[in-house]
Amino acid sequence: MTTLSEKAYAKLNLSLDVLCRREDGFHDLKSVMQTVSLHDTVELTVGTGQPWKLICGREDIPCDERNIAWKAAKLYCDAIGKDPEGLTIRIEKNIPSGAGMGGGSADGAAVLRALNRYYGEPLSEAELANIGAKAGSDVPFCVWGGTVMCEGRGEIMRRLKNCPDCIIVGCKPEFSVSTPVLFKKIDSVQILKHPDNDAMEAAIEAGDIRAIAREIYNVFDPVVSEDHPEIGHIKEVCRRHGAWAAQMTGSGSVVFAVMPDMKSAEKAAQELKKAYPQVFITEPV
Ligand code: C5P
């Protein structure tokens, strides 16, 4: 029996544009994604001689074959034609779920990396990303991590220069958003504003965090804000404490804000904690 441990970093969408609905029902996106230090820890025990098991300790997360981490493990073993002879996946959850931070996808990518390490790295990072795409649209990005321009469903990736260091406050309102429902909703509305991904890329290339902050934009933000005033409230609190940008990530509901320094981040977090249970301070990794 061997036990391996992997960190599963959360993601933020610095930009998120929905380009079109495709024949297969998915949407073509263009998004700059960024991993942040907030992470789950995934522990994998291989060769237990027992049926597969997933332990997570959270009622809102499925602990069986529906979990992206389980799907990723199955896809990996099928791809290399190996039977791990019993597998236990233990996930210590810190990334909020239903949050737009790719928590499930991060766990899936961590499982792929851990299994690949266990079997002596038979697959390249690109091959792991290909396998991951079958488990969930954000898994390929989570395999890569860092600062990446993602297109298609998310699987067409181009690495950008690392986002410069900065302090980010994140806050999850009480409600969660269903990703498929939100994608359906965006088909029925006219998208009035799109992020400028070229300007975002140029700002990242220049390592200019103020310019990056100016370009942060997610087309889902106004769609969710319309039904949930909490989004606007969280942004307002962060802006009052000096935020350079405040925007929802992915399909929500977490709002993140780029803060000028740790002191203002702590003050914003302190105020947000009075109204919202899940508040954190993080940074790009
Ligand atoms: O791939 P994932 O499981 O993250 O996708 C969840 C749902 O979100 C899909 O079933 C689809 O309805 C929607 N989706 C989409 N276009 C994408 C990613 C997700 O329509 N690029």
Side-chain angles (χ1 to χ4, degrees):
M1 232 164 30
T2 307
T3 297
L4 305 102
S5 180
E6 276 282 329
K7 284 182 180 164
Y9 292 103
K11 64 93 177 157
L12 293 174
N13 298 84
L14 298 181
S15 67
L16 176 51
D17 202 3
V18 175
L19 304 180
C20 65
R21 187 177 182 278
R22 315 186 327 185
E23 297 264 294
D24 63 2
F26 282 91
H27 292 72
D28 276 331
L29 312 174
K30 188 161 183 180
S31 174
V32 175
M33 297 210 209
Q34 174 67 51
T35 37
V36 290
S37 57
L38 179 71
H39 62 273
D40 295 343
T41 301
V42 177
E43 201 185 84
L44 217 66
T45 306
V46 189
T48 60
Q50 302 284 322
W52 285 28
K53 204 155 62 175
L54 191 146
I55 302 159
C56 179
R58 282 255 301 264
E59 279 170 13
D60 54 333
I61 293 168
C63 288
D64 50 30
E65 66 283 350
R66 290 169 298 169
N67 192 296
I68 298 177
W70 186 303
K71 285 185 197 165
K74 178 80 176 58
L75 286 162
Y76 182 90
C77 294
D78 289 350
I80 63 159
K82 298 263 190 197
D83 178 358
E85 290 168 0
L87 189 69
T88 296
I89 305 169
R90 257 192 202 82
I91 305 174
E92 190 191 306
K93 241 11 241 175
N94 296 307
I95 307 172
S97 57
M101 298 195 73
S105 305
D107 298 340
V111 163
L112 293 175
R113 283 195 300 269
L115 282 173
N116 205 39
R117 186 147 53 88
Y118 175 76
Y119 285 111
E121 311 279 344
L123 300 185
S124 67
E125 198 174 67
E127 286 168 322
L128 292 183
N130 276 340
I131 292 172
K134 297 188 189 114
S137 302
D138 290 337
V139 182
F141 165 71
C142 292
V143 167
W144 276 29
T147 312
V148 178
M149 181 70 80
C150 300
E151 294 183 65
R153 261 178 69 194
E155 78 288 7
I156 303 168
M157 300 188 289
R158 185 160 51 84
R159 188 171 289 290
L160 305 179
K161 219 168 126 177
N162 285 341
C163 179
D165 288 344
C166 61
I167 310 288
I168 294 165
V169 170
C171 176
K172 183 173 180 300
E174 210 82 66
F175 70 91
S176 290
V177 179
S178 155
T179 306
V181 170
L182 187 59
F183 270 104
K184 211 169 234 167
K185 189 168 176 199
I186 206 144
D187 289 335
S188 68
V189 301
Q190 204 192 345
I191 300 174
L192 296 172
K193 184 183 167 185
H194 294 267
D196 184 340
N197 273 307
D198 292 338
M200 174 60 89
E201 193 175 339
I204 290 168
E205 190 56 38
D208 181 344
I209 190 64
R210 296 297 295 269
I212 292 169
R214 277 197 297 276
E215 300 305 331
I216 287 176
Y217 190 73
N218 175 359
V219 293
F220 286 125
D221 183 303
V223 182
V224 176
S225 298
E226 201 176 77
D227 296 333
H228 299 282
E230 299 96 309
I231 300 287
H233 176 244
I234 295 167
K235 287 192 210 168
E236 187 269 315
V237 171
C238 294
R239 290 208 183 100
R240 206 163 9 83
H241 288 282
W244 290 335
Q247 191 74 181
M248 199 181 75
T249 175
S251 56
S253 60
V254 160
V255 173
F256 69 100
V258 181
M259 304 302 295
D261 50 52
M262 185 53 92
K263 203 167 162 198
S264 55
E266 281 169 349
K267 280 191 177 159
Q270 211 171 23
E271 185 173 340
L272 289 167
K273 274 182 189 156
K274 290 180 195 154
Y276 305 100
Q278 296 188 74
V279 181
F280 53 86
I281 296 177
T282 190
E283 60 187 357
V285 288

